[in-house]
Amino acid sequence: ARYEGKRGRPAAPAGLGGLRGIIGKELRLLLRDRNFLVQTLVVPILIVGFNLVMNPSLRKGLGGDPRHTATLAFSVGAYVLLFSGVHVLATEGSTLWLLFTFPVGLHRILIQKAALWCCFAAAYAALILFGSAWMRSSFTWEMLSVSVTALVGIGIYSFIAAGLGALGTDPLEQEVKRKVRPDVMYFYMMLAGMFAFAIYTPSAWGRIVQVVLSAATAFGLWQKVGDRLPYLLDPTEAPPPKVDVGDGLVAVLVFFVLQGLAAMSLVMGGAGTGSVLLLSFV
């Protein structure tokens, strides 16, 4: 009798402005869990506001070099993704098995969650870019170029963060803080830090190359996610270890950034063109 129910009128379906499904569930979780809300959406505002108040040179930088502003916008968006996109599986807790019962594949559900957090991160970055543009007296094409690069980077790295989080989450771990491996978060921060090279490089072709490599890396990571999902709740089985497209693309991306940094250092040191090409590639 403890769980006995009674017949009555069916309750109206609860929704958040027409947002239902996994998107509505994530927004409802965000509104109910104050710690999660503060960590993902409030702390970035406090960090940026504190630095703007305490560091006058940073305020001047927003109206100066547009690359500094674009880097700040991308960094704030990447920080939001660090505590949201990386935890797309960890936030499900012990109810993760319910996602396997839905008439939608888990791979598609995770993509929808990554897209939701991409919108939040891009909104923060867009506010910073808009504020910087409002402070400027003139508009330049370089400002537009680096701003688009930062926003495209946030879109790409939202899926990189979600993919790494899906690969580095142990759903059978009972302690919440240990569900996501720390090395996965450090690896994400390293990849996000390398994207600053795309913003600061003077060559438009260099930006395009890094954007393409980053997008291909995200695609390769999600291939690895698709291989792992069928074994996600199995404590004894795992997909066979192999080197696939994702691993190769990460290696190419790291090589491209390190080679570019080495070339810039050699040019600043006065080396010739031939020496720069040889030594940077080596």
Side-chain angles (χ1 to χ4, degrees):
R2 182 179 178 184
Y3 299 104
E4 182 179 357
K6 296 182 180 180
R7 293 184 178 274
R9 294 182 179 181
L16 292 171
L19 294 175
R20 302 177 63 182
I22 196 66
I23 300 298
K25 176 259 177 190
E26 284 293 291
L27 293 177
R28 190 172 291 110
L29 171 66
L30 194 64
L31 295 176
R32 290 177 176 177
D33 192 339
R34 294 183 179 178
N35 292 331
F36 189 44
L37 175 66
V38 171
Q39 190 177 43
T40 55
L41 300 183
V42 179
V43 171
I45 298 178
L46 295 179
I47 292 177
V48 175
F50 178 79
N51 282 277
L52 289 176
V53 172
M54 301 300 297
N55 192 354
S57 61
L58 183 61
R59 294 196 300 268
K60 295 179 181 178
L62 291 178
D65 194 338
R67 296 177 297 180
H68 299 338
T69 305
T71 303
L72 175 63
F74 176 79
S75 301
V76 172
Y79 181 84
V80 172
L81 294 172
L82 178 64
F83 292 99
S84 57
V86 177
H87 294 76
V88 288
L89 279 181
T91 53
E92 298 297 331
S94 58
T95 60
L96 176 61
W97 64 273
L98 287 173
L99 299 183
F100 286 90
T101 67
F102 293 165
V104 180
L106 183 56
H107 194 271
R108 182 178 175 185
I109 290 176
L110 295 181
I111 289 178
Q112 292 177 355
K113 296 178 71 172
L116 172 65
W117 292 115
C118 173
C119 294
F120 279 106
Y124 277 76
L127 286 176
I128 295 176
L129 295 172
F130 178 79
S132 174
W134 181 73
M135 295 171 59
R136 296 174 184 274
S137 58
S138 61
F139 175 82
T140 61
W141 287 108
E142 182 184 9
M143 177 182 175
L144 178 63
S145 175
V146 295
S147 299
V148 171
T149 302
L151 292 176
V152 171
I154 289 175
I156 294 173
Y157 274 83
S158 62
F159 289 94
I160 290 179
L164 289 175
L167 293 173
T169 299
D170 183 6
L172 303 178
E173 175 64 48
Q174 298 300 319
E175 190 173 348
V176 177
K177 295 182 179 180
R178 296 184 178 179
K179 282 186 174 294
V180 181
R181 301 202 316 266
D183 60 311
V184 170
M185 303 183 70
Y186 292 136
F187 184 58
Y188 164 73
M189 288 190 290
M190 184 193 75
L191 291 179
M194 288 193 302
F195 193 79
F197 179 76
I199 298 176
Y200 279 97
T201 183
S203 172
W205 292 109
R207 293 174 186 171
I208 294 174
V209 168
Q210 185 160 354
V211 167
V212 171
L213 288 177
S214 300
T217 302
F219 178 78
L221 288 175
W222 277 91
Q223 280 190 330
K224 294 175 70 71
V225 171
D227 295 336
R228 182 176 185 248
L229 290 183
Y231 303 90
L232 194 60
L233 298 180
D234 196 324
T236 60
E237 295 292 335
K242 61 180 180 178
V243 177
D244 53 14
V245 177
D247 301 307
L249 287 170
V250 169
V252 172
L253 178 62
V254 172
F255 171 80
F256 175 76
V257 174
L258 294 180
Q259 183 268 332
L261 293 175
M264 292 173 62
S265 302
L266 291 170
V267 170
M268 292 175 62
T273 304
S275 300
V276 168
L277 290 175
L278 176 63
L279 296 176
S280 62
F281 274 88
V282 169

